[in-house]
Structure formats: C-alpha cells, structure tokens
Amino acid sequence: MSFRQKFLFYDDGTDKRYELDSGVLVEMPPGTGNHEAIITFVLFQFILEKQRLGQL
C-alpha cells in the first residue's frame, strides 16, 4: 500500500480529522460555530437555487 493510500484510509478509531503537512499527519481542530453557520448558509443557498430551477 502506498503512502497516499495509507493517508486516504487512515483511521485511528476516533472522529478526528487530519491533514497532510509536509509529509506529516497533523490533527485538525474541530469546526467552530462560525463554521457550522457558513455550512448551513451555503446549504440553504443550494436548496433555494434548486427550487428556483424547479429541480426540487
């Protein structure tokens, strides 16, 4: 298995997320309330656009 495959399928048994920085796995901090607000806003905009296009 290549390093890329090991990285893509890495699972330490937790819900932590990691990024690859200069060849080293680095734990990413959890999202913030602002992060969730942005996700909700973007999702809502997609739903509105689908309704506008008559695809919902």
Side-chain angles (χ1 to χ4, degrees):
M1 181 182 286
S2 71
F3 180 78
R4 180 178 176 199
Q5 289 171 319
K6 288 179 185 177
F7 170 70
L8 290 175
F9 299 110
Y10 180 74
D11 181 10
D12 65 355
T14 67
D15 61 351
K16 295 178 182 176
R17 294 182 169 265
Y18 296 87
E19 65 181 27
L20 194 58
D21 184 15
S22 300
V24 177
L25 283 176
V26 179
E27 182 180 340
M28 296 176 60
T32 64
N34 287 340
H35 184 253
E36 287 197 26
I38 292 168
I39 290 171
T40 301
F41 173 79
V42 171
L43 178 61
F44 185 67
Q45 295 304 311
F46 277 121
I47 291 170
L48 288 177
E49 185 64 11
K50 284 185 68 104
Q51 284 178 337
R52 187 185 74 77
L53 295 173
Q55 297 178 0
L56 192 65

